[in-house]
């Protein structure tokens, strides 16, 4: 019996020891008993000398041999992420492996893997060394068909007399040492029950299901009904320079590809991927994207450009089993192109040769619960680990990446201007001076005129604001009562469609009261504006227009958002209203007007990244206007080209603000310089490194006592504290109470990442020993407060 160290699927900080009859390779997937459950585990290696008492040691329940072992680089990634983000190894493992594997055993996995191979062609099997040994011992020469099957798989005869004397098998046995993998069709001809036998042998680890040969006819996991695209366009000079720079890089390098929406970044990714795949028939590339459902065109463009390639797509919207299939395609190397959201940053990619992070500034790359990793940062880490290139693309890079590029740590590649079409002019509509807005309207005069012009030309307008529902709060004008959530420090949002009040944080729902609960006034009024209210106002202002709304409410029905976007693309909508969901990714050909209704809130948040996010969002939204370059032919029957110049209107009370000035000038570098200046003076990232201790509890006194203790424990860690670490007093989280749970955090800041890491290790372990009753977690490089 060999003792193994195994990371198990449970929020445990350390790996556990288990026995198994033979020595299992590192990275091998197993199922092990834990308490009364049977959970997934990954073998980290042999256990040197176990601390557990001999009698308490348990055995591995089964080996998931249908899934090849995870490689050492992947294990190192897992260990790094657990250490850096101060999370239990088991938790990271659970986040990194497909959930389906956690719920299914070895036999189910083998079945699924083989079924996956049957969906594709060719399906082939090969004997493993373990299978060679086992079958040679167990097979009796009397079972002629079985013996033939094993021989065709590569089983070597022990002694000539042991083999059946049928002449036909002799031919097979006398082949070279390693025969080509046995196709399932051929196996069926040798043995009627070949499929079931092979599945069983795969479970036993005697046979490997061989991944599809790249040159074989593979059916895409991404069901591609898309027409094949014409040849790739000739790159413009700046695009070519970017492609050349990345291709010329030897070893690790991070590139920041900076270019506005429509400047041709995606085209650069496509041609880079083509280059890398052409260089090496095994190479894999990973392309990360913020939200796949909002960027279906990205998947589509890759599917079109690489029709012969198997594409794997990893995101949380897939069904469990489906996600396993895609994960396995990446893990087995069958899929050479892997597209995915942040969770794909942890995918197993044994032949990874290039990473791309599109919209690298996007907040969704940071996981906000459990293991709070940053997918972008892990992508950079993986590139360094492998000594390969990673390309971060954005029109509005994160200030961290921008500064790294300025300091020469990242290499800046710039795409000036748009590949086709032109950038919209940005107009600021001064809310305080607009007659319509001053009368309480939602749409100012300039915007009204602009929409009317689009309607007259048969063009589309896109209006967005960051509040769904009808109004953010209901107010009593007589006594000042506000519709607050009884469980959270937040207002209940008024939803007109079902006349309900809803909390967007805890889900609490209530009917709109007939009268003010405090003073009995019957004059309750909606305050502020949400998407529903804007939609209603537009219907009154433009009765002839076809208006649609897309936000989290309308998107709740499966496929509803997709249907809405499709209508928009088909030209069946004149005005689209929505939240920021509608500002991302989509390439609307007939949109010539984009409007932001009161985005000012982002200027004055206490969140240090508020302005950065607002700027990025507005630039992104601006990118939705004027995508069409050449005159449009025949979209939904219209043969006319858009005749209005692309335009963006921002309704704001602060038209003098530096952020809006930079927006008007399309000047990201200017905006970044302003912001970096402020961050430097305040000593904030990227000029320092941060971590949060987040804690929550139903009772504020218990919470405060814990955080006071945490501060004491921090003070006791003297070494690193001396080298410039600041531990701030506890403060309430920006949403201080959610569903009756109080939330506070302690900020730690320092000028040196390694010093902060060292401190966090000590602090975390001290906090663990404190055995507090509160829920707490450390958030490294936090992006939300
Ligand atoms: P981004 O990713 O920066 O938004 P895209 O790569 O999507 O930009 O390019 C915007 C549009 O311009 C797309 O329709 C794309 O097909 C087209 N395009 C990109 N590069 C070229 C080029 N070199 N020649 C012609 N069209 C191009
Ligand atoms: Zn009242
Ligand atoms: Zn609530």
């Amino acid at each position: 019996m060999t003792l193994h160290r195994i990371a198990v699927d449970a929020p445990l900080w350390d790996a556990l020891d288990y026995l198994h009859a033979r020595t299992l390779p590192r990275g091998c997937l197993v199922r092990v008993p834990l308490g009364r459950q049977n959970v997934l585990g990954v073998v980290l290696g042999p256990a040197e000398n176990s601390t557990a008492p001999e009698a308490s040691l348990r055995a591995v329940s089964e080996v998931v041999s249908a899934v090849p072992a995870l490689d050492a680089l992947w294990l190192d990634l897992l260990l790094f992420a657990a250490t850096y983000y101060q999370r239990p190894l088991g938790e990271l493992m659970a986040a990194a492996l497909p959930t389906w594997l956690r719920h299914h055993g070895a036999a189910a996995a083998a079945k699924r893997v083989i079924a996956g191979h049957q969906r594709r062609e060719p399906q082939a099997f090969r004997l493993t060394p373990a299978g060679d040994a086992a079958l040679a011992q167990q097979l009796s020469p009397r079972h002629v068909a079985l013996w033939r099957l094993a021989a065709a798989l590569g089983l070597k005869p022990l002694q000539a007399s042991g083999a059946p004397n049928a002449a036909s098998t002799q031919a097979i046995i006398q082949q070279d040492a390693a025969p080509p993998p046995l196709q399932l069709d051929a196996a069926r001809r040798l043995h009627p029950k070949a499929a079931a036998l092979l599945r069983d042998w795969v479970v036993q680890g005697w046979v490997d299901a061989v991944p599809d040969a790249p040159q074989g006819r593979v059916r895409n996991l991404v069901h591609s009904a898309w027409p094949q695209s014409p040849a790739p366009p000739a790159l413009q000079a700046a695009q070519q320079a970017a492609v050349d720079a990345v291709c010329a890089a030897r070893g690790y390098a991070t590139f920041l590809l900076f270019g506005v929406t429509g400047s041709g970044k995606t085209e650069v990714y496509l041609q880079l991927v083509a280059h890398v795949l052409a260089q090496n028939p095994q190479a894999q590339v990973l392309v990360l994207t913020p939200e796949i459902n909002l960027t279906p065109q990205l998947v589509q463009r890759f599917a079109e450009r690489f029709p012969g390639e198997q594409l794997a797509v990893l995101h949380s919207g897939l069904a469990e089993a489906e996600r396993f299939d895609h994960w396995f395609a990446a893990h087995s190397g069958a899929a050479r192109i892997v597209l995915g959201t942040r969770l794909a940053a942890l995918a197993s990619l044994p032949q990874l040769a290039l990473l791309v992070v599109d919209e690298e500034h996007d907040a969704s790359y940071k996981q906000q619960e459990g293991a709070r990793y940053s997918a972008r940062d892990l992508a950079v880490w993986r590139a360094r680990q492998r000594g390969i290139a990673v390309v971060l693309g954005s029109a509005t890079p994160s200030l961290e990446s921008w500064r790294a590029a300025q300091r020469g740590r990242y290499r800046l590649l710039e795409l000036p201007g748009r590949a086709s079409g032109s950038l919209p002019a940005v107009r600021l509509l001064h809310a305080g001076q607009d007659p319509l807005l001053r009368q309480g309207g939602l749409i100012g005069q300039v915007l009204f005129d602009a929409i009317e012009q689009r309607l007259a030309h048969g063009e589309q307008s896109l209006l967005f604001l960051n509040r769904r529902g009808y109004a953010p709060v209901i107010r009593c004008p007589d006594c000042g009562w506000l519709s607050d959530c009884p469980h959270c420090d937040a207002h209940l949002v008024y939803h007109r469609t079902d006349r309900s009040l809803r909390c967007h944080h805890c889900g609490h729902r209530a009917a709109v009261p007939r009268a003010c609960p405090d003073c009995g006034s019957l004059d309750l009024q909606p305050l502020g504006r949400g998407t529903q209210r804007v939609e209603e106002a537009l219907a009154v202002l433009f009765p002839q227009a076809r208006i649609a709304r897309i936000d989290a409410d309308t998107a709740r029905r499966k496929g509803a958002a997709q249907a809405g976007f499709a209508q928009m693309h088909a030209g069946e909508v004149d005005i689209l209203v929505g939240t920021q969901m509608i500002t991302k990714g989509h390439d609307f050909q007939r949109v010539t007007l984009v409007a932001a209704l009161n985005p000012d809130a982002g200027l004055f948040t206490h969140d240090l990244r508020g302005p950065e996010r607002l700027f990025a969002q507005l630039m992104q939204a601006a990118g939705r206007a004027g995508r069409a370059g050449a005159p449009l032919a025949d979209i939904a029957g219209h043969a006319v080209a858009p005749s209005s110049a692309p335009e963006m209107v921002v309704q704001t009370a602060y038209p003098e603000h530096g952020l809006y000035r930079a927006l008007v000038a399309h000047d990201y570098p200017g905006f970044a310089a302003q912001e970096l200046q402020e961050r430097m003076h305040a000593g904030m990232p990227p000029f320092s490194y941060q971590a949060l201790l987040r804690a929550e509890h139903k009772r504020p006194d218990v919470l405060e006592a814990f955080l006071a203790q945490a501060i004491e424990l921090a003070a006791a860690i003297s070494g690193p504290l001396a080298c410039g670490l600041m531990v701030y007093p506890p403060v309430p989280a920006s949403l201080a109470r959610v569903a009756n749970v109080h939330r506070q955090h302690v900020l730690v800041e320092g000028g040196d990442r390694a010093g902060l890491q060292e401190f966090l290790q000590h602090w975390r372990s001290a906090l663990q020993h404190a055995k507090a009753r509160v829920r707490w977690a450390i958030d490294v490089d936090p992006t939300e407060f």
Side-chain angles (χ1 to χ4, degrees), residues 232-237 239 257 259-271 298 301 305 358-359 395 415 417-421 585 587 589 624 627:
L235 292 177
Q236 297 184 346
Q239 288 174 313
L257 182 61
V260 294
T261 328
S263 61
K265 296 186 295 295
T266 309
E267 191 54 48
V268 169
Y269 308 151
L270 287 164
Q271 303 216 11
L298 187 76
R301 280 173 74 177
R305 187 62 63 83
D358 190 26
E359 310 287 359
L415 300 182
R418 285 192 153 177
S420 62
D587 211 346
Q589 294 287 309
R624 297 307 115 210
R627 296 286 285 186

Side-chain angles (χ1 to χ4, degrees), residues 434-446 448 541:
D434 187 277
L436 296 180
L437 293 178
R438 282 165 64 117
Q439 287 162 27
L442 303 178
I443 308 289
Q445 186 67 55
V446 170
F448 179 89
L541 292 172

Side-chain angles (χ1 to χ4, degrees), residues 356-396:
V356 173
V357 184
D358 190 26
E359 310 287 359
E360 67 91 27
H361 63 279
D362 197 283
S364 75
Y365 282 127
K366 172 89 173 166
Q367 166 86 16
Q368 295 296 354
E369 61 196 21
R372 292 169 179 258
Y373 60 87
S374 156
R376 179 199 57 213
D377 295 351
L378 286 180
V380 172
W381 191 89
R382 290 185 85 164
R384 181 174 301 130
Q385 178 194 37
R386 290 203 171 249
I388 57 175
V390 53
V391 180
L392 312 178
S394 178
T396 51

